[in-house]
C-alpha cells in the first residue's frame, strides 16, 4: 500500500544528462514500493556553489510509496550508485543526484537525512519545478507554501525550461 507522498529532486550535469535523468526515473519506477506521480518539466540550471562545472538538468518528481523515509533514502542512494555517482567534491559535478525534498508532512533530522531538505527554500532550481507540481504544498515546520517561497526570489535567472513534460506518464514523459 503506497500511502506516503514524497517529492524527490533529480539533477545531472555530467555526460548525457537527460539519459541519466531518464534512467533514474526508470529505476524509481522499477521499485515495487514506489509509484511515480507528477513530474515537473526539466530545467537547465546554473550550478549551485563555487565549483566550476557544467550546467545541470533538474526536475522534481512526486512519488507515492510504502517505504519509510530512511528506506526511500536507501533506494535513492542505490540509484545514484547504479548510475556511478561519485561524491568527491561538495556541490561538485555528478552523473545523478536524487534528493528527498519532502515526505508527507514529516520533519526528520537524522545524521544522513533531513526532511524538509535543508536547502529547499534557497534553491530556485528545486522550488520552480516543485511549484509546477504542487504550488500550494506547505513546507512542514513552516507556514510557507511553495508558491510563496517562489515569489521570494527577486530574480529567476539561471533556471530555464529545457524540456516540457509531454504528459505521457512514467519514464516516457520526456520522449519526443
Amino acid at each position: 500500500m503506497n500511502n506516503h507522498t514524497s517529492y524527490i529532486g533529480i539533477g545531472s550535469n555530467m555526460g548525457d544528462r537527460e539519459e541519466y535523468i531518464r534512467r533514474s526515473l526508470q529505476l524509481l519506477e522499477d521499485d515495487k514500493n514506489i509509484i511515480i506521480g507528477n513530474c515537473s518539466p526539466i530545467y537547465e540550471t546554473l550550478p549551485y556553489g563555487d565549483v566550476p562545472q557544467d550546467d545541470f538538468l533538474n526536475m522534481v518528481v512526486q512519488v507515492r510509496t510504502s517505504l519509510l523515509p530512511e528506506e526511500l533514502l536507501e533506494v535513492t542512494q542505490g540509484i545514484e550508485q547504479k548510475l556511478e555517482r561519485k561524491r568527491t567534491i561538495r556541490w561538485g559535478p555528478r552523473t545523478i543526484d536524487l534528493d528527498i525534498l519532502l515526505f508527507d508532512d514529516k520533519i526528520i533530522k537524522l545524521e544522513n537525512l533531513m526532511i524538509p531538505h535543508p536547502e529547499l527554500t534557497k534553491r530556485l532550481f528545486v522550488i520552480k519545478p516543485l511549484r509546477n507540481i504542487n504550488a500550494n504544498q506547505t513546507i512542514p515546520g513552516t507556514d510557507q507554501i511553495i508558491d510563496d517561497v517562489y515569489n521570494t526570489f527577486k530574480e529567476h535567472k539561471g533556471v530555464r525550461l529545457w524540456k516540457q513534460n509531454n504528459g505521457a506518464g512514467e519514464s516516457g514523459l520526456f520522449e519526443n
Side-chain angles (χ1 to χ4, degrees):
M1 188 160 128
N2 297 316
N3 53 354
H4 300 289
T5 299
S6 183
Y7 295 89
I8 300 171
I10 302 174
S12 174
N13 78 332
M14 291 177 67
D16 188 339
R17 302 171 301 170
E18 184 179 7
E19 179 63 13
Y20 279 116
I21 288 175
R22 188 196 66 72
R23 287 175 59 199
S24 70
L25 288 170
Q26 184 63 57
L27 290 166
L28 280 171
E29 190 176 77
D30 288 348
D31 190 296
K32 66 182 182 347
N33 297 304
I34 297 173
I35 297 171
I36 292 178
N38 294 326
C39 291
S40 75
I42 298 175
Y43 291 91
E44 188 166 48
T45 65
L46 296 174
Y48 187 79
D50 296 329
V51 178
Q53 58 189 307
D54 294 334
D55 291 349
F56 277 82
L57 292 184
N58 284 290
M59 68 174 296
V60 172
V61 60
Q62 177 192 49
V63 300
R64 300 281 302 153
T65 184
S66 58
L67 299 171
L68 297 173
E70 297 87 345
E71 295 169 326
L72 183 58
L73 179 64
E74 286 179 29
V75 170
T76 59
Q77 289 182 338
I79 290 170
E80 289 178 347
Q81 287 178 345
K82 284 179 186 166
L83 299 180
E84 301 177 1
R85 161 116 190 232
K86 306 284 188 254
R87 295 178 184 271
T88 54
I89 304 170
R90 182 181 167 114
W91 294 330
R94 62 208 67 181
T95 56
I96 197 70
D97 184 26
L98 285 88
D99 288 329
I100 301 171
L101 306 172
L102 300 168
F103 191 98
D104 291 337
D105 60 354
K106 296 198 180 316
I107 298 172
I108 298 171
K109 294 184 180 187
L110 302 172
E111 186 176 325
N112 63 339
L113 179 62
M114 293 186 68
I115 298 174
H117 191 284
E119 300 286 320
L120 177 66
T121 60
K122 300 174 187 171
R123 296 177 172 179
L124 182 62
F125 66 86
V126 173
I127 290 295
K128 191 167 187 174
L130 187 51
R131 181 176 180 250
N132 289 120
I133 296 174
N134 190 350
N136 293 316
Q137 171 68 46
T138 301
I139 299 172
T142 75
D143 59 357
Q144 292 182 296
I145 62 170
I146 297 300
D147 196 50
D148 291 342
V149 173
Y150 176 80
N151 290 321
T152 65
F153 286 90
K154 290 179 178 43
E155 294 184 1
H156 292 172
K157 294 190 295 189
V159 178
R160 66 177 181 83
L161 182 64
W162 191 77
K163 191 171 260 192
Q164 189 65 262
N165 175 337
N166 69 17
E170 285 97 40
S171 62
L173 283 168
F174 303 100
E175 294 175 7
N176 294 328

